């Protein structure tokens, strides 16, 4: 992964492949941002004019490369747009800096060293630039199709080193910001790698094995229930969804504990390593990216490892509900009734509504341990993508204050999200003549119906939140800001921020 260093050097004298500067949209054309003074000086104060000649406007996500003027050690200047100039005294908000740094890092793929001279005023600004640059530098290392890495087919690799100018390496707050960014982004990128791995190379057993291995490296405890243990334990949802596949299901429990922790959070991830829809098969056009259906489990795992790396004063229990949803002679059929963990029965009306089945078992199981709160993360419904688009996840909860807290937490982390309701009148659309409830109900508001289904499995009195990340988990379009094509690592930063806020006693 890309290395991050803080430096007090001048943008003019640091040796690098490129020096990154910010450019904003002024009233009369592009304006060079704070931090780029030394670079502008080398251009005789004409950097903005030169950029304008090249067509730069300072718009967000705009990247302009130009040869450096003499007097600069770096051969290339990369100007990245920051949008409108912030109102006096406001400074750039963290997300603007993150996105600009990400766009610049993407444009430097294949280079060794990028020196970032963006407008950083304090440790929070440094954190944003560091996070954005490291997130934007990510590239998925393509294998050769059977799992072995083949050098010839490698892409040209990520930007190898990010140097943050104005970084104050001796200042405690800056150092902590750099360490946090490095730990956090390494884990967001771990989630992205897991999501991008094709389903023929990542199944429930190999996901579980990868999690156990990585957990051990960070001193985390794990327990894995295999298909035999799941059957014996009565996990009808996970067993039912997994029974159509040659690759059997798993339930992984990961624990991170801190000796001085006062709160315990349970994090649950939907881990469908491939969602074909099962017997209710998805049509072509809807199944090509369904390797991403384990993004929730990847996010939960990544967040717990980050918490361990940062030594957060909180206890976390992660639950990865892993299964592959396939049609076969042994698969569950529409109309089957499953006996779930804890004894509730569910009529499976649509085998493509599988996520809620594996999550229901995990939620019931997690409630037994009486955590202070439960949050599940899932690529749960196409309906949520229709409602909120591809960049915003939906938040549901049985507690309005907790839903608001989750929304604020996501905002702090730089992840777009929106609170959604759980209207009780939709519950009766899941009534079943043969079971306690059906796994499908009213089509309108399908994301909320799915949320109401999950709520049925939350023990009374347990605070629970649900993040439906079906939109932002996987980016089918071109990359933007610090978001690559493919797996995005959606929700990792929100979960880490939630763990930090819980550790700090910020949440109830
Ligand atoms: N994994 C899908 C949801 C999804 C859709 C994720 C698009 C990412 C992008 C989920 O298992 C699913 O198939 N949901 C169904 C539920 C329906 C059958 C009630 C859906 O949303 O269509
Ligand atoms: Mn499905
Ligand atoms: Zn699914």
């Amino acid at each position: 992964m890309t290395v991050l260093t803080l430096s007090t050097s001048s943008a003019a004298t640091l040796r690098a492949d490129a020096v990154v500067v910010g450019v904003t949209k002024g009233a009369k054309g592009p304006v060079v941002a704070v931090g780029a003074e030394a670079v502008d000086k080398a251009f005789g104060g004409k950097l903005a004019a030169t950029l304008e000649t090249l067509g730069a406007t300072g718009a967000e996500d705009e990247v302009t490369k130009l040869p450096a003027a003499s007097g600069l050690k770096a051969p290339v200047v990369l100007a990245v747009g920051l949008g409108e100039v912030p109102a006096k005294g406001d400074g750039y908000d963290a997300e603007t800096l993150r996105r600009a740094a990400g766009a610049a890092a993407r444009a430097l793929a294949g280079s060794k060293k990028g020196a970032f001279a963006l407008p950083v005023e304090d440790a929070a600004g440094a954190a944003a630039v560091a996070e954005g640059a490291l997130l934007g530098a990510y590239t998925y290392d393509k294998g050769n199709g059977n799992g072995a890495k083949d050098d010839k087919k490698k892409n040209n690799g990520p930007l190898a080193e990010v140097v943050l100018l104005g970084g104050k390496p001796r200042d405690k707050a800056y150092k902590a910001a750099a360490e946090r960014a490095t730990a956090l982004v390494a884990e967001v990128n771990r989630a992205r790698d897991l999501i991008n791995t094709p389903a023929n190379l990542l199944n429930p057993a190999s996901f579980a094995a990868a999690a156990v291995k990585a957990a051990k490296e960070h001193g985390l405890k794990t327990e894995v229930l295999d298909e035999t243990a799941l059957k014996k334990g009565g996990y009808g949802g996970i067993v039912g969804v997994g029974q159509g596949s040659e690759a059997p299901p798993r339930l992984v429990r990961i624990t991170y504990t801190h000796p001085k922790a006062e709160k315990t959070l349970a994090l649950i991830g939907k881990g469908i390593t491939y969602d074909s829809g099962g017997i209710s098969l998805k049509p072509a056009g809807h199944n090509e990216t369904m390797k991403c259906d384990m993004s929730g489990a990847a996010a939960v795992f990544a967040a717990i490892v980050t918490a361990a790396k940062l030594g957060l004063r909180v206890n976390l229990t992660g639950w990865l509900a892993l299964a592959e949803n396939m049609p076969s002679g042994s698969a569950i059929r529409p109309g089957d009734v499953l006996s779930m963990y804890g004894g509730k029965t569910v009529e499976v009306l649509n085998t493509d509504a599988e996520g809620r089945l594996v999550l229901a078992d995990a939620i019931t199981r997690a409630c037994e341990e009486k955590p202070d709160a439960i949050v599940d993360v899932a690529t749960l419904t196409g309906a949520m993508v229709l409602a909120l688009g591809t960049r915003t996840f939906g938040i549901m909860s049985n507690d309005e204050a907790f839903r608001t807290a989750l929304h604020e937490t996501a905002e702090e982390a730089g992840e777009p999200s929106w609170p959604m309701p759980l209207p009780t009148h939709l519950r009766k659309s899941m009534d079943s003549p043969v079971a306690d409830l059906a796994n499908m109900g009213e089509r309108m508001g399908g994301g909320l119906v799915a949320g109401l289904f999950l709520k049925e499995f939350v023990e009374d009195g347990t605070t629970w939140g649900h993040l439906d990340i079906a939109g932002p988990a996987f980016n089918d379009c071109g990359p933007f800001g610090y978001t690559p094509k493919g797996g995005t690592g959606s929700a990792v930063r929100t979960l880490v921020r939630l763990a930090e806020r819980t550790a700090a006693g910020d949440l109830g």
Side-chain angles (χ1 to χ4, degrees), residues 275 282 325 352-354:
D275 182 12
K282 285 183 189 293
N325 187 22
D352 199 11
E354 83 299 337

Side-chain angles (χ1 to χ4, degrees), residues 270 275 282 290 293 350 352 354 356 379-382 440:
K270 170 175 172 181
D275 182 12
K282 285 183 189 293
M290 278 303 143
D293 216 17
N350 190 319
D352 199 11
E354 83 299 337
R356 61 197 76 181
T379 46
L380 205 60
T381 64
M440 227 190 98

Side-chain angles (χ1 to χ4, degrees), residues 117-136:
L118 291 172
V120 165
E121 283 173 11
D122 51 18
V129 173
E131 256 182 51
L134 296 177
L135 285 167

Side-chain angles (χ1 to χ4, degrees), residues 282-294:
K282 285 183 189 293
H286 292 262
N287 52 24
E288 294 79 0
T289 58
M290 278 303 143
K291 65 176 181 183
C292 82
D293 216 17
M294 35 55 73

Side-chain angles (χ1 to χ4, degrees), residues 409-466:
T409 303
E411 178 87 19
E412 282 177 24
E415 295 200 278
S417 70
W418 202 252
M420 300 296 275
L422 290 172
T424 45
H425 72 91
L426 288 172
R427 165 61 186 84
K428 64 177 176 302
S429 70
M430 289 182 287
D431 281 350
S432 163
V434 292
D436 294 326
L437 76 169
N439 77 332
M440 227 190 98
E442 158 94 55
R443 205 170 71 86
M444 298 298 166
L448 319 181
V449 174
L452 282 164
F453 179 93
L454 298 179
K455 185 169 169 255
E456 291 286 313
F457 295 85
V458 180
E459 201 174 293
D460 282 343
T462 303
T463 304
W464 158 78
H466 161 54

